[in-house]
Amino acid sequence: MKALHFVTGGFSGATSVAADLVRADTANGSTEAILVLRRKRSTQQQRVDALRAEGLQVETVPGLLRAQAVWSLARLCRRLRPDVLVAHGFPEHLIGRWAGLAAGVPHLVHVEHNARERYGTWGLAQARWLARRTDRIVGVSADVRDILVGMGMPPRLAVAIPNGIRLERFEQAGNIPFAERELALVMVARFAGQKDHATLLRALHRLRQDGLTPRLRLAGIGNARHERAARALCTELGLTNQVEFLGHVSDIPTLLGRHRIALLSSHYEGFGLALAEGMASGCAAIGTDVAGIRTLIRHGEDGLLVPHEDAAALAQAIRSLLVDDTLAARLARTGRERALREFGRDLMVARYEQLLRDCVAA
């Protein structure tokens, strides 16, 4: 079987998942897998070269204009002749399926990576029309699958395949005793409108007023405007000596392994990958009770959920883990156990491989 995975070249979470699927298929040899990136202004050539250096088959298509991307991808499909085209994320799943239809690719799969996208009337009409010509529609969490059905996608085609993480990267971090970690907070997230750094900073301000001053480290880059807004709010709230903006961090497992508490404050997610990594690292996890996160955490069992945009509730959740070592250690332990059991990349890869084979067999 030959599978072509088409995804944004912006190296988002969707890109990471698509690359992981191609990486796994390349390693086990069961499927000839090709990664095709839609080149954007932010696409870094060194990251493309790094994927090729791993031995992955990576192609790029121009992506500034959607029509150009469709035409270029269709031409590539005619040359490579995949059995199945897997189109990841919005708007790439529209571009990918139009190209697949134009090139006569036998089987099309749509993977939705987020709980909220700016479809608009025309985009939604395209998605519904293309759905009738698509073999499967995948949501990266049960929340996303349900949202897709609510948007009018055929329920019989819609399935949930939760994203997976490379658990082997977190073996050492997970073995660091909880008591030896710094009593500090870490959030790994790019700066974007989707992420809710503001509520986290306001929660930290509330804790400071109560005499609790845990250090917070923010890892990630992204939209410069959103980062400037977070830095300005940090200054306004008097947190500049308490909050560190780390920028891009290449070794996330080591960073997480130094901390007791990992957070993901967000407006919405597809699958809270960064929080799953925090759990796999043995951190006590706190997440916003929104789509894409609420299915990761069972509140009080393997982490804590807090209401959306509720700084007081988030401050209370952080406080409980700062002052109650027993609770924090228990949540960290059970969270790691769940991550190892349910969030592994191998499980995700096996589910996708079975889905693609079912499509081709049908």
Side-chain angles (χ1 to χ4, degrees), residues 175-235:
N175 293 332
I176 300 173
F178 191 78
E180 296 178 9
R181 298 175 179 224
E182 183 179 357
L183 188 57
L185 320 173
V186 61
M187 175 163 150
V188 180
R190 73 188 190 281
F191 288 92
Q194 173 184 351
K195 310 300 180 182
D196 191 11
H197 291 86
T199 296
L200 175 55
L201 293 173
R202 292 190 177 100
L204 208 63
H205 177 63
R206 286 176 173 269
L207 291 171
R208 188 179 184 88
Q209 292 177 319
D210 294 340
L212 293 173
T213 57
R215 184 160 293 280
L216 168 65
R217 296 185 175 94
L218 300 174
I221 55 177
N223 185 285
R225 177 173 61 86
H226 288 289
E227 182 174 348
R228 285 195 300 269
R231 289 181 180 272
L233 181 59
C234 189
T235 301

Side-chain angles (χ1 to χ4, degrees), residues 232-252:
L233 181 59
C234 189
T235 301
E236 177 187 332
L237 297 176
L239 300 172
T240 52
N241 294 328
Q242 194 177 337
V243 179
E244 297 179 42
F245 290 79
L246 303 180
H248 174 69
V249 176
S250 58
D251 189 354
I252 293 297

